[in-house]
Amino acid sequence: MLLIMKDKLKAKTCSQFLKGLADPERLKIIERLQDGPSTVSELATTLRSELANVSHHLSVLRKYRLVCTQRKGKNIFYSLNPTVFSGQKSSRHTLDFGCCQVVLRNR
């Protein structure tokens, strides 16, 4: 008899979110975006990183749906995806993937 296990953790979806975070530069971007939306150039300046490097990491974060974009005039602002990021003041440093939570320590 073959038992089929139900995927309560949504392992595939969860692993995709974790892949998106699996780089120190992307974690720094997530940490910076906790303070609010930012442009690529603002992030590059703050993180003291090359613009192309930050742009690449933001595209990966977008691919894994960890950040959202909003155009304002000529600028594109990046922000944390509200469906993943707990915006409540008590847990504003928590990424909730449904299967697990990642708590970013206070700075």
Side-chain angles (χ1 to χ4, degrees), residues 10-69:
K10 300 178 184 173
K12 187 174 182 175
T13 302
C14 192
S15 69
Q16 294 300 309
F17 283 126
L18 294 172
K19 281 181 189 178
L21 289 175
D23 185 278
E25 289 300 311
R26 291 195 287 270
L27 286 170
K28 289 177 188 176
I29 291 170
I30 293 291
E31 180 183 32
R32 168 54 186 84
L33 290 176
Q34 286 179 303
D35 295 334
S38 189
T39 64
V40 177
S41 55
E42 290 170 343
L43 287 167
T45 300
T46 303
L47 300 173
R48 296 183 183 148
S49 187
E50 295 293 323
L51 191 69
N53 188 36
V54 173
S55 182
H56 164 74
H57 287 298
L58 283 167
S59 70
V60 173
L61 290 169
R62 280 187 72 196
K63 174 184 173 184
Y64 291 110
R65 298 186 181 124
L66 293 167
V67 297
C68 300
T69 60

Side-chain angles (χ1 to χ4, degrees), residues 88-107:
Q88 303 164 354
K89 290 186 180 184
S90 61
S91 61
R92 62 175 226 156
H93 299 287
T94 302
L95 297 165
D96 188 349
F97 302 127
C99 60
C100 66
Q101 292 182 339
V102 175
V103 178
L104 304 170
R105 65 183 175 98
N106 294 335
R107 291 185 256 164

